[in-house]
Amino acid sequence: MEPSNLTRRLKDLEDNIKKDFALLKDYEDALRDEDDPRRKGKYNRAIEQLRESANRYQQEYDQLHQQITGESTVQMHSVAMQLEQMNKKLDQLYVGQKAIYGNINHLRQGLLAHYEAGEKNIISAITNQLNESQVTTISALLDAIEANQVSDAEMQNILSSIQEGLSILQQRAVTLPGSQGDIVEVINAPQMDFKHRLKVAVPLIPFILDYEGELELGTGINLKEALKQFMARLRLIGG
């Protein structure tokens, strides 16, 4: 291959690495501030695509390294350093995300421990869509329910709000995670223990909160504010 073509290939490689490295840093910043699990998944898939690109760049670099000598070695060294930085950043993101997912998976397993074996599949489909903060909040509320720290009136208000919110979401054809029919059946089953019905309903609170401003619940209860006040009270009890 002519030296000019080799130099052009090297320049194109360098430009592509720079663009992808800048994109990688943007994804890193986005992941740091993102709470939505679905959007996090989207960013992580994009990062995996950049890892595949980095592998291709390494192959291209190795081919060029065998053919380019002389004055171009300075530029080769620059490209090698950029590749090293990109791979290092990819590895850091991988380790960081693995630790985060390991922690949230541990929290989700703790939350599922509140449920019977037959209900864990239903609940896990919901909890897999919750972020770490939401899982922590729901787990604390479940602990409080089981420890009888929630009054009957509070439990009734929370369950009524969730039932009404679900009913409105169904009317608007809003799809919730997992088998919505199974969830609604348990929550509305009058023969089932009231506290148990509430425990099944509680993980749905974050999804209902996403729509609460639009739902205009007839109960007159601001579910977000009620939850906020209740969690504040729990912290006082815990302290």
Side-chain angles (χ1 to χ4, degrees):
M1 184 178 294
E2 293 296 325
S4 58
N5 291 333
L6 289 172
T7 303
R8 190 180 305 114
R9 279 181 58 189
L10 186 59
K11 181 66 168 63
D12 290 342
L13 177 60
E14 185 175 28
D15 290 343
N16 288 334
I17 295 172
K18 285 180 178 178
K19 289 176 183 177
D20 278 8
F21 188 67
L23 191 58
L24 183 59
K25 292 176 69 176
D26 288 342
Y27 288 145
E28 180 184 25
D29 292 339
L31 272 172
R32 188 181 299 113
D33 299 328
E34 185 56 71
D35 290 327
D36 190 306
R38 288 163 293 187
R39 285 195 287 268
K40 277 194 171 185
K42 181 180 177 180
Y43 290 133
N44 280 315
R45 287 191 294 273
I47 289 171
E48 282 304 307
Q49 291 177 351
L50 289 180
R51 182 179 289 278
E52 293 173 5
S53 295
N55 290 336
R56 290 195 298 271
Y57 296 153
Q58 185 65 57
Q59 292 174 0
E60 174 80 357
Y61 172 83
D62 291 341
Q63 292 175 3
L64 290 171
H65 189 266
Q66 295 175 1
Q67 302 174 61
I68 293 180
T69 58
E71 59 185 23
S72 296
T73 56
V74 174
Q75 192 175 11
M76 287 292 291
H77 179 71
S78 174
V79 173
M81 292 296 293
Q82 291 172 31
L83 268 174
E84 183 180 350
Q85 289 178 342
M86 186 170 181
N87 284 317
K88 183 177 180 180
K89 179 62 68 178
L90 284 164
D91 290 341
Q92 288 173 342
L93 284 172
Y94 173 76
V95 171
Q97 289 304 304
K98 186 177 180 180
I100 289 171
Y101 282 122
N103 183 54
I104 194 170
N105 284 336
H106 176 75
L107 291 172
R108 285 170 178 156
Q109 290 303 312
L111 191 156
L112 290 175
H114 290 277
Y115 298 94
E116 299 171 0
E119 293 172 341
K120 287 186 178 181
N121 286 338
I122 301 174
I123 303 300
S124 64
I126 301 169
T127 59
N128 285 341
Q129 300 298 317
L130 302 179
N131 61 41
E132 185 173 342
S133 174
Q134 291 168 334
V135 172
T136 301
T137 298
I138 296 304
S139 293
L141 185 51
L142 289 170
D143 288 340
I145 292 171
E146 292 181 348
N148 297 317
Q149 293 176 333
V150 186
S151 69
D152 289 345
E154 285 176 315
M155 288 196 293
Q156 183 62 61
N157 285 339
I158 294 172
L159 183 60
S160 295
S161 295
I162 294 172
Q163 287 173 317
E164 186 170 358
L166 277 176
S167 177
I168 296 173
L169 291 177
Q170 284 182 307
Q171 293 172 17
R172 299 184 182 181
V174 175
T175 302
L176 295 174
S179 177
Q180 188 167 332
D182 290 341
I183 298 169
V184 173
E185 183 179 353
V186 173
I187 293 173
N188 293 333
Q191 74 279 9
M192 190 169 288
D193 178 73
F194 175 80
K195 184 183 290 187
H196 187 75
R197 290 163 59 196
L198 177 61
K199 284 172 56 180
V200 173
V202 161
L204 292 171
I205 288 177
F207 300 99
I208 294 175
L209 291 180
D210 285 342
Y211 294 92
E212 188 179 43
E214 305 172 23
L215 294 180
E216 299 178 355
L217 299 180
T219 56
I221 298 170
N222 183 321
L223 191 55
K224 180 182 289 186
E225 187 59 31
L227 184 64
K228 181 179 178 181
Q229 292 179 6
F230 183 72
M231 293 305 296
R233 183 161 64 83
L234 280 186
R235 283 191 285 272
L236 290 175
I237 292 173

